[in-house]
Amino acid sequence: MATKKILMLVGDFVEDYEVMVPVQMLQMVGHQVDSVCPDKQAGDMVPTAIHDFEGDQTYSEKRGH
């Protein structure tokens, strides 16, 4: 398979697993993955969130990776 350059569009506090799992899998098979987020500069971090179900049909939002 030919190596691809992939651009992922994300926003602040994107769901952690919706970004991290695809990025890691694409990198694992040899693709280059870059992410961009509005109002961020090269090298800035994008905060992510994890929605943790804690019972009784409710969840809390925790900081991701």
Side-chain angles (χ1 to χ4, degrees):
M1 172 172 34
T3 300
K4 305 280 184 189
K5 291 183 178 182
I6 299 167
L7 180 64
M8 183 175 281
L9 306 175
V10 299
D12 283 336
F13 292 102
V14 63
E15 181 69 31
D16 190 86
Y17 298 116
E18 291 177 1
V19 173
M20 295 303 294
V21 171
V23 166
Q24 291 171 346
M25 293 301 296
L26 289 164
Q27 289 174 336
M28 187 173 69
V29 296
H31 299 301
Q32 176 186 331
V33 182
D34 294 303
S35 299
V36 296
C37 179
D39 300 323
K40 299 287 183 192
Q41 301 297 318
D44 286 351
M45 300 295 286
V46 176
T48 61
I50 297 173
H51 293 96
D52 187 14
F53 288 92
E54 298 187 16
D56 297 327
Q57 300 179 352
T58 186
Y59 66 89
S60 63
E61 186 171 87
K62 295 179 172 69
R63 195 159 186 84
H65 291 93

